[in-house]
Amino acid sequence: MSEGPRLRVLVVEDEMTIALMMEDMLLELGHEVAGIAMRLPQAKALAGQAAFDVAFLDVNLDGYASYPVADILRARGIPFIFVTGYGLAGIDPPYHVHRVVKKPFEIKDLQDAIAGVRAAA
Amino acid sequence: MNGGARAASAAMDEEVQVSAFPGGGEMGALVRAFDWSHTGLGPFAAWPESLKAVTRTILASPVPMVLLWGEDGVMIYNDGYRTLAADRHPGLLGARVRDGWPEAADFNAEVIRTVLSGRPLTYKDREFTLRRGGAAERAWFDLYYSPVLDGRGVPAGVLGITIETSERVRATRRRDGEHARLTRLFEQSPNPIAILRGPQHVFELVNPACSRLIGHRDVVGRPIAEALPEAARDGFVAVLDRVYRDGRAHVESAVRFAGRDASGAPVEDRYLDFAYQPVTDADGRVGGVFVEGYDVTQRAVAETKVRESETRFRALVTATSEMVYRMSPDWTEMRHLDGRDFLSDAEIPSVAWHDVYLFPEDQPLVLAAIRRAIESKSVFQLEHRVRRVDGTTGWVITRAIPLVDKDGNITEWFGTANDVTDRHKVEQHLRLVVNELNHRVKNNLAMMQAIAAQTFRRVDDLPRAQASFNARIQALAQANDLLTGERWAAVSLQGVIEQALRLQCQESDRCAIAGPPVDLSPKTALSLSMAMHELATNAIKYGAWSVAEGKVSVTWSLYTGGDGTQRIRLEWRESGGPPVTPPRTRGFGSRLIERGLAPEMGGSADMRFLPEGFVCVVDAPLSVYGDK
């Protein structure tokens, strides 16, 4: 199922079952999960320090928007993909340029999103 | 008689004739010189004494007189009569009256016949149409005819005193005509007119319009206070008193007049302008008052309606909770705004209103809508943001209409605005709630998907996996119930654990739950619920709850960590179960706790498969959000 190089992926998702499923899916796609963050402080910490190639970013982290995490990633030049139940409408206009995966999603959605990021890079 | 004798006789007659009528003015001279022999009177010498006597009398009188002698009425008249005769003088002298006055022949014939029968006749202002001075004209005379007796005492002539009264008659007629005209005016005037006499204001004259006004009540000859009892109350008597006393005219406008019908019952009120004019008697004293009214009811009613309409409008503007404003035709100037404590009031015209009421970023939108309304001369309507009187942001729904003049040009805009800030907030909140709901539904679907993916991953026993899946969904639903009951606010740790374990362990002595009060965020509560479900399921399958004596205790305590933060230590401890052997592979439950719950709580999980029972310890900061 793996295509291209093995990537290190940061998963920022406040719902543990979903986070675990993403982990499974990413592993199945042949990638490595560099970390899972479920709350904003941990997410910011990991985003600023951890070594990874791409991040999936849940927009709403237990009531807090994850834009500060996005800002950190942008500053570090690390591509990221928003994950949200709202779709594009749930994302603030300044972040519209980023790729979005809508919940609920399939493994193929993650694969396409990663492929898109890779193509853009 | 021969000619000479006749001539001598005639000369003597003339002499006698001349001496017979001394004086008499022109007519005297003419009578004396006249040759009467060819007239019905015959030669003078043959005149009876009575004829001579009456001729003398006539000629001596200054009163216009005429003598009609004999049945033919041969005429002798004096100087006074000349005026009457006009251009027929002196031709009338000695003529028969029917020849002299052919136009009055019948009249004179009747006079002669009557008077010669011995009866005098008198006429006052007898009218004739006489041809005098070329044109026929009407003339009037007072005529006194009396018989003149001859020597035997038999009426032989008619003595007429003829006094022309044309001038007086004409003057009287003129006066009467004027009077009639005035009366007609008075009678036909649409304006009520009354003349009141004396200090008691007794009605002397009332025209029909006035009669109608007062309900056709019989007032003439009665004092106003008695005839119209309401007049005193309504102030009319006081005005009349003053005009009568001061002798000065007085005018009053739009006086309400309480209408009455003939029975005195009130009918519709009228409004009149009244003019009071003192009427002076011949001696210059005020003897009465002339009152004329001019009905202005329509005007007064219209004015009243306008006034009422204005009052209502003012009341509306005052009573409404809406803000009211007026703008110049092109909206460059705000003429007035009543801001109802929501917006700042504009008492005087202002051109800076954009900056007062609108935030800079909203101005293009609002001004564009205004421009469209001006161009189409149609209603301006918009919901937009405003700067409130306290500087904060508010929302209004505003609507303004153009007022146009008769040429269709806009003279002003009149508008109202409604504070919809609260509604706007509610709408925003509702939008948030709907979005949040949408998010939750999607999120829950994603969670179910995730649980399914985990549960059915590498399945060798499908019925068992299905049962697990159902139980997990059930646990998720229960946790959701708990959170919904708490309106997705913080929930207690104790409540979450009790609810998660209630289904699996009905016997309370096999399940000890203890710890200090701790609140969890909804999300953490949900994760903890799921974790508890997995632990309980495992306990039933392999652990303490798989045998009758086994027990589980769930306890937690708070402590201060090395970095000074408050931490929680949550322990799941099984005892009394079958001997424990560590599983060959990690199940979903273990993974959920180690990779899910621990990171979720920002801490770590430690799972030990001790021989006396399974133990799981989660150690985490009390709250990853500080004060949340």
Side-chain angles (χ1 to χ4, degrees), chain B residues 74-149:
Chain B
V74 177
M75 300 171 73
I76 297 172
Y77 57 93
N78 64 3
D79 276 6
Y81 191 84
R82 273 180 311 177
T83 319
L84 190 158
D87 55 346
R88 299 184 194 213
H89 165 78
L92 290 179
L93 188 64
R96 288 180 297 199
V97 70
R98 66 169 174 275
D99 299 328
W101 295 107
E103 59 267 55
D106 290 346
F107 172 80
N108 284 316
E110 180 61 21
V111 166
I112 290 166
R113 199 184 58 74
T114 304
V115 177
L116 288 186
S117 73
R119 283 185 288 127
L121 283 172
T122 300
Y123 296 93
K124 284 285 181 187
D125 294 330
R126 177 65 162 83
E127 181 181 346
F128 295 90
T129 301
L130 302 178
R131 187 167 294 282
R132 291 191 295 191
E137 60 168 12
R138 298 206 296 171
W140 290 265
F141 300 90
D142 283 351
L143 302 166
Y144 310 90
Y145 295 106
S146 45
V148 179
L149 307 178

Side-chain angles (χ1 to χ4, degrees), chain A residues 15 23-24 39 103 105, chain B residues 443 449 454 595 600 625:
Chain A
E15 199 61 64
E23 185 181 33
D24 288 344
R39 292 293 185 274
K103 288 180 185 175
F105 51 83
Chain B
N443 215 51
Q449 183 194 18
Q454 300 290 336
R595 298 286 286 162
E600 155 97 46
Y625 294 150

Side-chain angles (χ1 to χ4, degrees), chain A residues 47-110:
Chain A
Q49 294 154 15
F52 53 95
D53 307 304
V54 63
F56 282 97
L57 209 48
D58 185 9
V59 174
N60 184 333
L61 294 178
D62 198 17
Y64 289 78
S66 63
Y67 301 126
V69 183
D71 294 339
I72 292 167
L73 296 175
R74 228 188 315 203
R76 286 183 69 187
I78 299 173
F80 57 92
I81 299 146
F82 280 121
V83 180
T84 173
Y86 300 111
L88 192 66
I91 295 172
D92 278 3
Y95 299 94
H96 276 182
V97 291
H98 296 276
R99 194 164 281 273
V100 175
V101 167
K102 280 168 73 175
K103 288 180 185 175
F105 51 83
E106 293 178 62
I107 188 166
K108 181 148 192 330
D109 296 322
L110 299 191

Side-chain angles (χ1 to χ4, degrees), chain B residues 279-295:
Chain B
V279 178
T280 46
D281 290 338
D283 59 5
R285 281 213 316 261
V286 176
V289 179
F290 173 94
V291 184
E292 179 167 13
Y294 180 69
D295 195 315

Side-chain angles (χ1 to χ4, degrees), chain B residues 234-533:
Chain B
D234 294 344
F236 290 97
V237 174
V239 174
L240 286 166
D241 282 346
R242 196 164 64 244
V243 173
Y244 186 84
R245 190 184 62 230
D246 299 345
R248 277 206 300 273
H250 178 74
V251 173
E252 290 195 324
S253 290
V255 179
R256 194 176 67 87
F257 194 92
R260 290 286 198 285
D261 65 14
S263 69
V267 293
E268 197 184 348
D269 283 349
R270 312 294 303 171
Y271 291 85
L272 296 100
D273 289 347
F274 279 110
Y276 297 83
Q277 184 71 41
V279 178
T280 46
D281 290 338
D283 59 5
R285 281 213 316 261
V286 176
V289 179
F290 173 94
V291 184
E292 179 167 13
Y294 180 69
D295 195 315
V296 294
T297 304
Q298 274 192 320
R299 193 191 73 200
V301 167
E303 281 173 357
T304 305
K305 278 185 180 155
V306 167
R307 222 173 6 255
E308 283 173 357
S309 169
E310 267 180 7
T311 306
R312 271 198 297 275
F313 170 75
R314 223 182 301 284
L316 172 70
V317 167
T318 312
T320 182
S321 59
E322 300 196 356
M323 291 159 274
V324 179
Y325 60 86
R326 294 188 296 118
M327 308 298 293
S328 65
D330 60 1
W331 286 70
T332 52
E333 184 186 79
M334 173 177 280
R335 292 180 173 167
H336 178 85
L337 184 141
D338 184 348
R340 307 271 153 183
D341 300 331
F342 177 75
L343 298 178
S344 52
D345 290 343
E347 307 280 1
I348 53 166
S350 155
V351 291
W353 64 272
H354 313 85
D355 298 325
V356 174
Y357 300 108
L358 299 177
F359 292 102
E361 62 268 34
D362 295 337
Q363 289 187 6
L365 174 84
V366 176
L367 296 181
I370 289 170
R371 213 160 32 242
R372 279 195 299 278
I374 293 173
E375 278 163 11
S376 59
K377 291 185 183 175
S378 61
V379 175
F380 163 70
Q381 187 163 0
L382 191 67
E383 180 167 344
H384 65 85
R385 215 157 57 151
V386 289
R387 184 185 282 124
R388 298 206 280 197
V389 66
D390 60 2
T392 60
T393 300
W395 283 82
V396 293
I397 281 187
T398 182
R399 191 176 153 86
I401 53 163
L403 305 180
V404 295
D405 61 17
K406 60 179 171 27
D407 299 324
N409 299 314
I410 297 176
T411 57
E412 187 165 86
W413 290 79
F414 184 82
T416 60
N418 226 339
D419 172 10
V420 292
T421 308
D422 288 344
R423 201 201 71 196
H424 210 83
K425 275 184 190 158
V426 168
E427 278 174 1
Q428 265 184 330
H429 180 68
L430 199 63
R431 228 178 349 256
L432 273 180
V433 167
V434 168
N435 280 344
E436 178 60 25
L437 194 64
N438 191 32
H439 168 75
R440 288 224 177 115
V441 167
K442 297 270 176 61
N443 215 51
N444 277 342
L445 286 174
M447 279 176 70
M448 294 217 281
Q449 183 194 18
I451 290 167
Q454 300 290 336
T455 310
F456 295 105
R457 198 161 166 247
R458 287 189 291 274
V459 164
D460 31 17
D461 186 347
L462 189 60
R464 212 173 122 181
Q466 280 170 337
S468 286
F469 180 70
N470 285 344
R472 281 168 180 154
I473 297 300
Q474 186 84 12
L476 185 65
Q478 272 182 3
N480 259 307
D481 283 349
L482 183 70
L483 292 171
T484 305
E486 300 294 335
R487 293 171 181 271
W488 285 79
V491 286
S492 84
L493 174 58
Q494 173 119 15
V496 170
I497 292 171
E498 279 176 357
Q499 213 233 14
L501 300 185
R502 196 184 303 138
L503 274 183
Q504 278 90 343
C505 175
Q506 264 101 11
E507 303 156 73
S508 58
D509 59 328
R510 297 187 65 194
C511 179
I513 299 169
V518 172
D519 279 344
L520 299 177
S521 83
K523 182 80 50 186
T524 304
L526 203 60
S527 299
L528 185 64
S529 244
M530 300 283 295
M532 285 294 134
H533 170 78

